[in-house]
Amino acid sequence: MAADSSVPPKSCGQPHFWRFHETLAVPMSLFCHNRARLVSRLQAKGEVTAAGTFVVLQGGVDVPFNDTDTNWPFRQESFFQWCFGVEEPGCYGALDVGTGASILFVPRLPPEYAIWEGKLHTLDDFKERYSVNEAHYTDEIARVLKEKRARLLLTLNGRNSDSGLLSREAIFDGISEFKVDNSILYPEICECRVIKSREEIEVLRYVCMISSEAHKAVMRSVRPEMAEYKAEACFQNYVYNMGGCRHVSYTCICGSGHNSSILHYGHAGAPNDKVIMDGDMCLFDMGGNYCGYAADITCSFPANGKFTEDQKFIYNAVLKARDAVLAAAKPGVTWTDMHLLANRVMLTSLKEGGLLVGDVEGMIRAGLNEVFQPHGLGHLLGLDVHDVGGYLPGHPERSKEAGLRKLRTARTLLAGMALTVEPGCYFIDCLLDAALVSPKQSKFIVREQLQRFRGFGGVRIEDDVLITEDGVENLTNVPRTVEEIEKFMAGAKNAKVN
Ligand SMILES: [Mn+2]
């Protein structure tokens, strides 16, 4: 359709991140606006005298495979991506908090690098491509900042509340000649990342749409006797081939049968290598990544396309929990309350189906919710799949209570947040065995009924949602009800026959 497929369709003269054909053209103004949001937040802070204050960020660096001269495919550091959208490793960036001006510093590559990398870009090329005010080489950072009379540098130092790891704090030759503060920036930039701009929402919408389509392609291809890793291969091919997503956002989880109860199945020691059997539940958790932005979607369905009564029972218990959250989530409600709502709805269904007995509130007080769903309801989503900002100063701290301690945030919802909603129900032997010997938990479990579900695996239903002014917008679009899934998979089977 497009006359010239080398030009982004929505090009209006400004540079874009864009791959090809119908992939999304992401305007560099997305990153300009992110920088402007950060600068105005910092200007509003009393302790920052804007004149002579500069934010200095260090981008990601190439990471070699061990001691070899081959690197991991490069992925930009997320704070740097959020500010600059730069695709190359080894860069730095600075923001003048007084004026909002942006400066990009790129590595000065020896001329012979043109042999391996092609024609080397000039500073003007970088300035133009990334829509920054100035571009210089990384060996000029101290000189440039001194010329601009920088008095205080704000660097990034903070601990990720999901991984426990520290951010990369900028360090460069000559930094000791400046006054450096490494405490102000982190919470402020994290808070900026929590609220998505209109342009960021467009990217999330796109990567969730492509990832939803990829999940549907997987559902169409799955059949008994197929190896799990073929589902992973199908997903990766779809998001890259059709959506321009070079990366997925995390290691693909393609568990079938009992493996669907292993929360991070697909890891190096269990690389999606079982054969999917007739009668298995499949739990596939995969998300593409476009321009740094992540999708994180889980589909659970029977391998043969038809739910058994037991599969329907567990699936509908989780679906009801998901529906309750999608109906109740909106600005002003707390994520902890949404988590407990999901738990309560699911445990009530398990009780109605005869698997549990007793008072549902009592089950929650006894921590039984964590036995069947040993993870939180969901997490913030953005450039990182478990995005930053879950636990920041001034917001509720992580609970120590069973049933709540796994939550990746306990915040009150705000319009513009993106989160996953991912209730689940799993039959995990070590947790069930422990519950059965715990007097306060075992009294709620009907042992003979539970026995039937040993080896069942698990169900998770994970949607990516945006909190709007009055509710949620679901960015995910895949078959969700039992009827939708069975119809979709039957249609795929018939299409194969014809
Ligand atoms: Mn998730």
Side-chain angles (χ1 to χ4, degrees):
M1 181 55 197
D4 180 359
S5 54
S6 65
V7 177
K10 291 182 201 157
S11 178
C12 51
Q14 76 159 311
H16 292 78
F17 174 97
W18 176 72
R19 284 300 178 249
F20 198 52
H21 283 162
E22 59 283 305
T23 69
L24 183 71
V26 182
M28 286 297 138
S29 59
L30 181 154
F31 305 104
C32 299
H33 291 157
N34 283 351
R35 295 193 291 267
R37 285 158 67 198
L38 175 62
V39 163
S40 66
R41 236 190 123 81
L42 289 169
Q43 284 175 347
K45 278 191 81 75
E47 64 258 52
V48 179
T49 10
T53 303
F54 285 74
V55 168
V56 181
L57 291 175
Q58 182 171 355
V61 295
D62 257 331
V63 182
F65 293 160
N66 307 307
D67 65 342
T68 72
D69 59 354
T70 301
N71 295 323
W72 288 96
F74 179 68
R75 293 177 71 154
Q76 188 55 275
E77 192 277 331
S78 296
F79 289 100
F80 197 78
Q81 177 70 12
W82 186 85
C83 271
F84 294 98
V86 167
E87 296 193 58
E88 290 85 351
C91 298
Y92 287 74
L95 297 179
D96 184 335
V97 177
T99 66
S102 53
I103 314 164
L104 178 64
F105 298 97
V106 299
R108 191 192 296 270
L109 301 178
E112 68 265 26
Y113 268 52
I115 300 168
W116 298 283
E117 300 202 353
K119 187 174 178 295
L120 300 181
H121 301 300
T122 65
L123 292 176
D124 278 341
D125 292 338
F126 281 108
K127 184 179 144 193
E128 169 104 352
R129 174 167 166 201
Y130 294 119
S131 295
V132 288
N133 296 106
E134 293 178 31
H136 302 276
Y137 291 111
T138 51
D139 55 21
E140 302 173 306
I141 302 176
R143 179 181 65 74
V144 170
L145 290 176
K146 259 189 258 168
E147 278 170 17
K148 297 190 180 299
R149 300 179 192 283
R151 289 189 293 111
L152 175 65
L153 306 185
L154 306 181
T155 58
L156 193 67
N157 180 283
R159 196 174 289 282
N160 184 298
S161 59
D162 290 302
S163 66
L165 300 174
L166 288 172
S167 58
R168 176 189 290 274
E169 187 172 347
I171 182 100
F172 58 87
D173 279 345
I175 193 172
S176 58
E177 297 163 51
F178 299 89
K179 192 173 162 219
V180 174
D181 179 293
N182 70 1
S183 65
I184 293 172
L185 180 60
Y186 188 82
E188 299 302 329
I189 193 169
C190 284
E191 191 57 35
C192 287
R193 281 179 58 185
V194 167
I195 304 301
K196 271 62 183 182
S197 69
R198 191 181 47 75
E199 290 149 308
E200 289 184 290
I201 290 166
E202 278 308 307
V203 188
L204 285 171
R205 230 182 235 129
Y206 173 78
V207 74
C208 290
M209 181 273 288
I210 283 293
S211 301
S212 295
E213 289 303 314
H215 270 282
K216 285 159 68 179
V218 170
M219 285 174 78
R220 273 194 290 270
S221 75
V222 165
R223 53 185 163 65
E225 310 300 331
M226 178 180 127
E228 293 165 337
Y229 70 81
K230 287 182 183 285
E232 175 178 14
C234 174
F235 185 89
Q236 288 179 334
N237 177 66
Y238 193 98
V239 293
Y240 199 2
N241 194 21
M242 303 304 288
C245 300
R246 187 176 212 186
H247 303 291
V248 286
S249 295
Y250 50 94
T251 304
C252 293
I253 299 171
C254 298
S256 64
H258 182 61
N259 294 339
S260 58
S261 69
I262 303 171
L263 295 191
H264 287 175
Y265 183 71
H267 60 86
N272 298 323
D273 59 348
K274 174 184 157 300
V275 173
I276 300 170
M277 301 306 288
D278 199 5
D280 278 356
M281 267 311 280
C282 294
L283 185 159
F284 292 170
D285 183 345
M286 301 182 273
N289 191 285
Y290 190 78
C291 193
Y293 286 86
D296 180 7
I297 295 171
T298 307
C299 292
S300 300
F301 55 91
N304 62 16
K306 191 96 186 108
F307 284 84
T308 64
E309 286 307 308
D310 279 349
Q311 287 171 344
K312 218 181 273 184
F313 165 43
I314 301 304
Y315 188 87
N316 280 331
V318 178
L319 186 67
K320 213 168 166 184
R322 171 261 201 185
D323 289 345
V325 172
L326 293 190
K330 61 179 179 186
V333 305
T334 74
W335 196 237
T336 306
D337 284 346
M338 293 298 92
H339 173 78
L340 288 171
L341 170 66
N343 288 170
R344 206 173 282 127
V345 169
M346 188 176 85
L347 292 171
T348 302
S349 293
L350 297 184
K351 179 180 162 181
E352 285 166 3
L355 188 60
L356 303 176
V357 284
D359 172 40
V360 169
E361 295 308 315
M363 294 177 199
I364 288 177
R365 275 196 302 278
L368 204 67
N369 44 344
E370 200 179 288
V371 173
F372 290 97
Q373 186 194 300
H375 60 71
L377 172 65
H379 47 83
L380 293 163
L381 179 74
L383 284 168
D384 295 329
V385 64
H386 297 157
D387 211 23
V388 292
Y391 292 102
L392 287 177
H395 296 288
E397 288 176 21
R398 187 185 285 272
S399 167
K400 292 184 174 63
E401 272 180 64
L404 292 177
R405 60 192 166 187
K406 303 285 178 72
L407 275 169
R408 294 182 185 276
T409 185
R411 289 182 63 147
T412 298
L413 297 180
L414 296 168
M417 283 181 171
L419 300 113
T420 66
V421 174
E422 50 177 309
C425 181
Y426 315 87
F427 296 89
I428 302 171
D429 286 328
C430 61
L431 295 180
L432 296 175
D433 292 341
L436 287 174
V437 298
S438 147
K440 64 175 188 161
Q441 292 182 337
S442 63
K443 65 178 179 188
F444 297 110
I445 299 173
V446 183
R447 284 167 192 266
E448 317 80 75
Q449 295 292 324
L450 181 66
Q451 209 43 43
R452 224 171 63 230
F453 291 92
R454 291 279 188 167
F456 174 99
V459 166
R460 176 162 64 253
I461 299 174
E462 181 174 28
D463 287 321
D464 299 340
V465 306
L466 173 73
I467 306 299
T468 62
E469 293 299 330
D470 55 0
V472 307
E473 176 189 337
N474 194 344
L475 307 177
T476 315
N477 186 10
V478 292
R480 278 304 189 208
T481 65
V482 164
E483 295 72 26
E484 284 166 3
I485 290 169
E486 289 188 343
K487 193 168 164 218
F488 182 82
M489 293 184 74
K493 255 187 212 162
N494 293 339
K496 260 180 225 160
V497 172
N498 295 336

